[in-house]
Amino acid sequence: MTKHDTTLARAGDTDIRVMRAGEGPTLVLLHGSTGASSWLPFMARLAERYTVIVPEHPGFGGSTPPDWLDNIHDLAYFYLDFFRDQGLEDIHLVGQSLGGWLAAEIAVRNTSRLKSLTLVGAAGLRVPGVEQMDPFLCTDEERIRGFFHDQAMAERTIARLAEVEDEDISLANRFTVARLSWSPRGHDPHLYKWLHRIDVPTLLVWGDHDRMFPLSHGEEYARRIPGSRLAVIGECGHIPTVEKPEEFCRELSAFIDATEV
Amino acid sequence: MQFFNMHLMPYADVDLEAIRDHGTAWVTFSNRHYDPVKGADLYNRYLDELEYADEMGFDGVVVNEHHQTPYGLMPTPGVLAGALARSVKRGKVAVLGRALPLVNNPLTIAEEFAIIDNLTRGRMIAGFVRGIGAEYHAMGINPTESLERFNEAHELIMQAWTRPGPFVYSGKHYQFNYVNPWPTPYQKPHPPIWTPSQGSSQTIRWAAQNRYTYCQTLSPIATVAKFFDMYREEARKAGYEAAPDQLAWSNTIYVAESDERAMREARPHMEAMINGFFKMPVEMLLPPGYTNVESLKRIRAAKVIGKAQTLDDLVKSGVVIIGSPETVREKLEEYQDLAGFNTSITKTQFGTMPTEMARDNITAVATEVIPHFRDRLPRPVDNKEAVNA
């Protein structure tokens, strides 16, 4: 597995932890509600071809939520500062779930440092009539089962939970997730109005059995973002990066390589 | 000691089997189970019970606020307090309390309480609470903003009551160009403020610093004593000695002619209340941000939430007092001395208890218990032990 290093990086007056590995085009991955506490196999796979940068959002991983962090818009502006302060350009921005919503909020504001955008099982929209799991009204175990289509994989994740999980960190992560997404639940009612502003190549990756933000959310993003393409991954739940890493990486690489030509 | 009669106004006709099947009586338990014909009877019956308590000599009556549950049918307690304002002739009318962070316009609470205070000619007690965790699911308010909203709403209401209007209020969560409520409170500078809590150290400090009466809800008496000590300590830090009147224990009392009979009669109704009406999963009771991570870990580790309790458990740990008049007097004396409170907020109806039982209980508490405590103050436990030795 590609070796990664972890450093602290600063934007404004806020330090965040950043995992980094690989060489090649810059790929920034914005994590979802469970944080970015470990270097996952799909990251290592991508680091064989790209410079993979995984920042941990302020308020995650046990860091004290900054006073300025009230909503997803604050976080979007923070990352625009972060990209500038770190001198990142031609970024292939990839966000999953909460991080997908964040990536969309960043992109409607400013795409000047983005080369492409990929949203994976992204939050951010409300699709009328579509039933979603309430991630705040279930146990940790129920939530994990809700993430996966393959329930055997869910059970293995649950079994590992006690050994790998730091309770302080996971509870602090839940705090920040609630701060950003409690109400309106997991979306910004005004985001859809501005998705047409996204003027970089956009890929949407969705599991066909996503119960958190079902496929209709991907279809809605596809309708709203000009020229975007929706790639549906079969037999897959909310987290294609973990449940179907090979398929996910294949889709993403093909997309990124096409934009690099 | 002063005694208040508190009602939760449960939907006593609830289908307990349906709650058991669903797993909780809160937020997601469908209101298809609510029958307004039965509800109408219950509201009128419960108001009658509170009025009866007033006639029998309680110092006041208490209503409170919960949302989307048969546990308590008072999502807007001001309506019930308004009804009581005209019929409760002697005692105080306390709303303990309104959950400030749940409203998007706290001025409506300043107005509502001021009306009740005017109607009662100054017999209103104003309660400010954050609401339990379940309300944040029910009302769609972000629990991580609960404390901020509470503090800001409190500041706004106090200003609305004490500063001549109109004036501008500009906060993070609430903004008004014109704060100028008509009416203003009858009592000056404002009605007494009480703060019920499950024992958050932040709330205890805040209440002590503001010299507000602190009410401890649904806890074993040893825990109550610990929290009241904390309040007294915070008062000393703020430069004064807390009076026993500033400490209120929110309890449940049931009196019958013998201990055995009291236990037998109270059991099904109390167990329905604690294991049925009150049952909820931890993620509903404690959403992220409602408490700090340390308290949350402590509560999760204790794994007490959702565990079935018997009446015997509750009696033994001193959450409730059930027994003959003599037993009840003895226990209450012991608890008063242990925890050092001088206000008892007493529920005489609970769970599925029918009205005849509830009224007999009000009579018994009013005639067999209250007179005994009328002039009694808490006695320091150290002295008592010295006497016993």
Side-chain angles (χ1 to χ4, degrees):
Chain A
M1 199 181 274
T2 322
K3 207 169 139 30
H4 72 282
D5 56 35
T6 304
T7 53
L8 281 184
R10 165 163 289 218
D13 58 358
T14 306
D15 288 320
I16 56 170
R17 207 157 33 222
V18 180
M19 296 188 292
R20 192 188 301 250
E23 280 173 25
T26 302
L27 193 159
V28 172
L29 177 73
L30 300 177
H31 67 78
S33 62
T34 50
S37 55
S38 58
W39 186 251
L40 298 171
F42 84 93
M43 298 172 184
R45 188 184 292 257
L46 291 169
E48 288 165 12
R49 308 186 55 183
Y50 311 106
T51 306
V52 176
I53 299 173
V54 186
E56 185 170 52
H57 311 326
F60 281 82
S63 66
T64 309
D67 288 340
W68 52 260
L69 184 58
D70 286 305
N71 55 51
I72 198 87
H73 306 147
D74 296 325
L75 204 51
Y77 287 115
F78 168 81
Y79 272 108
L80 286 167
D81 284 0
F82 175 81
F83 296 159
R84 182 198 59 209
D85 293 358
Q86 296 296 312
L88 299 174
E89 285 175 344
D90 294 327
I91 302 165
H92 296 283
L93 185 62
V94 181
Q96 56 180 349
S97 194
L98 180 73
W101 175 14
L102 174 60
E105 295 280 2
I106 291 168
V108 297
R109 282 166 173 74
N110 187 346
T111 54
S112 61
R113 288 174 185 272
L114 304 189
K115 186 113 191 220
S116 77
L117 174 69
T118 301
L119 309 182
V120 188
L125 299 178
R126 174 94 193 126
V127 182
V130 174
E131 211 174 300
Q132 290 174 262
M133 243 186 100
D134 181 352
F136 294 111
L137 211 44
C138 57
T139 63
D140 295 348
E141 290 78 9
E142 286 164 349
R143 191 163 50 247
I144 290 168
R145 290 190 189 105
F147 283 163
F148 287 94
H149 174 61
D150 177 353
Q151 288 300 295
M153 196 177 258
E155 293 308 323
R156 284 199 296 278
T157 307
I158 290 167
R160 271 202 313 273
L161 206 58
E163 30 179 299
V164 300
E165 195 189 63
D166 180 316
E167 194 184 22
D168 284 286
I169 289 178
S170 66
L171 290 175
N173 286 354
R174 296 301 296 157
F175 176 95
T176 304
V177 173
R179 171 137 289 202
L180 297 172
S181 70
W182 185 274
S183 181
R185 187 60 50 86
H187 74 287
D188 169 359
H190 303 284
L191 174 61
Y192 78 92
K193 293 186 274 188
W194 306 106
L195 291 172
H196 66 85
R197 284 172 48 85
I198 297 175
D199 55 1
V200 291
T202 300
L203 173 69
L204 309 161
V205 184
W206 243 264
D208 62 346
H209 285 84
D210 189 333
R211 282 187 275 163
M212 312 303 288
F213 294 90
L215 188 54
S216 336
H217 290 73
E219 290 163 353
E220 184 64 15
Y221 269 117
R223 255 194 301 278
R224 300 270 177 192
I225 301 176
S228 61
R229 183 172 75 79
L230 174 62
V232 180
I233 297 191
E235 303 292 307
C236 182
H238 180 55
I239 319 177
T241 53
V242 173
E243 194 165 359
K244 297 279 178 180
E246 257 175 66
E247 289 89 329
F248 170 76
C249 290
R250 199 163 48 233
E251 286 287 353
L252 182 65
S253 299
F255 167 70
I256 287 178
D257 295 351
T259 65
E260 286 290 331
V261 171
Chain B
M1 181 152 55
Q2 54 178 348
F3 284 81
F4 284 73
N5 191 268
M6 176 170 180
H7 224 303
L8 287 171
M9 302 204 177
Y11 185 66
D13 289 301
V14 79
D15 179 353
L16 289 166
E17 198 74 30
I19 295 177
R20 203 169 309 130
D21 291 346
H22 185 68
T24 179
W26 294 72
V27 188
T28 56
F29 183 65
S30 174
N31 62 4
R32 277 178 290 129
H33 297 284
Y34 180 80
D35 175 351
V37 175
K38 289 176 178 169
D41 287 344
L42 286 173
Y43 277 120
N44 283 291
R45 173 201 142 181
Y46 291 156
L47 289 171
D48 289 345
E49 288 171 12
L50 287 168
E51 288 157 8
Y52 180 61
D54 174 56
E55 288 162 24
M56 289 301 292
F58 278 82
D59 298 283
V61 295
V62 177
V63 294
N64 78 346
E65 171 179 340
H66 287 297
H67 294 270
Q68 304 190 7
T69 173
Y71 177 83
L73 297 177
M74 298 184 283
T76 54
V79 174
L80 286 312
L84 292 164
R86 296 271 299 171
S87 58
V88 164
K89 304 291 186 194
R90 286 181 39 262
K92 309 247 196 243
V93 176
V95 181
L96 301 180
R98 292 257 15 220
L100 306 187
L102 300 185
V103 295
N104 287 320
N105 182 352
L107 281 183
T108 58
I109 293 176
E111 292 169 338
E112 174 187 302
F113 279 1
I115 294 173
I116 299 166
D117 200 37
N118 279 249
L119 270 178
T120 56
R121 292 197 168 82
R123 287 179 294 127
M124 204 262 163
I125 294 171
F128 294 154
V129 298
R130 286 172 50 210
I132 70 167
E135 337 282 9
Y136 290 80
H137 290 280
M139 302 300 278
I141 297 296
N142 194 323
T144 72
E145 294 175 351
S146 167
L147 206 56
E148 270 180 24
R149 289 171 68 98
F150 180 86
N151 289 334
E152 203 173 307
H154 166 257
E155 180 185 68
L156 170 60
I157 292 169
M158 297 311 284
Q159 287 191 20
W161 279 350
T162 54
R163 260 179 84 179
F167 59 86
V168 175
Y169 184 88
S170 180
K172 178 176 170 185
H173 297 279
Y174 310 110
Q175 303 85 22
F176 296 94
N177 277 332
Y178 303 99
V179 178
N180 189 29
W182 288 67
T184 59
Y186 188 91
Q187 299 175 82
K188 296 299 170 197
H190 54 75
I193 291 163
W194 291 16
T195 50
S197 168
Q198 294 163 301
S200 139
S201 54
Q202 282 161 322
T203 304
I204 292 171
R205 186 178 318 120
W206 181 84
Q209 284 168 350
N210 285 289
R211 305 192 181 212
Y212 295 160
T213 296
Y214 175 74
C215 321
Q216 179 62 41
T217 61
L218 202 70
S219 308
I221 192 65
T223 311
V224 176
K226 194 182 82 189
F227 289 137
F228 287 175
D229 280 342
M230 208 188 281
Y231 182 98
R232 282 184 283 262
E233 186 52 39
E234 291 294 343
R236 275 191 286 274
K237 281 187 209 159
Y240 74 99
E241 274 306 310
D245 281 345
Q246 281 171 267
L247 295 165
W249 180 36
S250 184
N251 57 39
T252 302
I253 296 179
Y254 186 75
V255 184
E257 56 194 25
S258 69
D259 289 353
E260 184 275 322
R261 184 169 165 189
M263 289 294 283
R264 177 160 41 83
E265 288 178 354
R267 187 180 301 278
H269 308 298
M270 180 53 79
E271 290 179 0
M273 142 109 176
I274 207 83
N275 301 326
F277 287 94
F278 193 60
K279 195 175 174 210
M280 69 182 87
V282 65
E283 60 272 12
M284 191 182 273
L285 184 63
L286 299 167
Y290 177 78
T291 57
N292 58 33
V293 167
E294 287 70 40
S295 325
L296 192 54
K297 272 171 69 180
R298 205 170 52 235
I299 298 163
R300 278 161 61 114
K303 294 192 189 303
V304 286
I305 296 163
K307 204 175 264 182
Q309 297 187 73
T310 65
L311 180 64
D312 311 78
D313 298 332
L314 298 169
V315 168
K316 199 168 159 212
S317 62
V319 176
V320 303
I321 303 181
I322 312 286
S324 68
E326 197 185 5
T327 300
V328 170
R329 286 193 295 265
E330 272 173 20
K331 285 270 180 67
L332 190 54
E333 277 190 5
E334 183 193 330
Y335 295 171
Q336 186 187 21
D337 296 344
L338 177 70
F341 56 89
N342 206 36
T343 298
S344 175
I345 300 172
T346 301
K347 288 183 284 292
T348 44
Q349 191 280 345
F350 40 89
T352 47
M353 182 183 288
T355 198
E356 304 73 35
M357 269 180 80
R359 293 178 77 96
D360 286 350
N361 192 27
I362 290 168
T363 310
V365 172
T367 57
E368 312 268 6
V369 181
I370 292 178
H372 180 78
F373 287 89
R374 191 45 79 197
D375 300 315
R376 192 181 191 279
L377 284 166
R379 296 164 195 163
V381 173
D382 291 348
N383 297 350
K384 202 175 97 180
E385 276 167 359
V387 170
N388 288 347

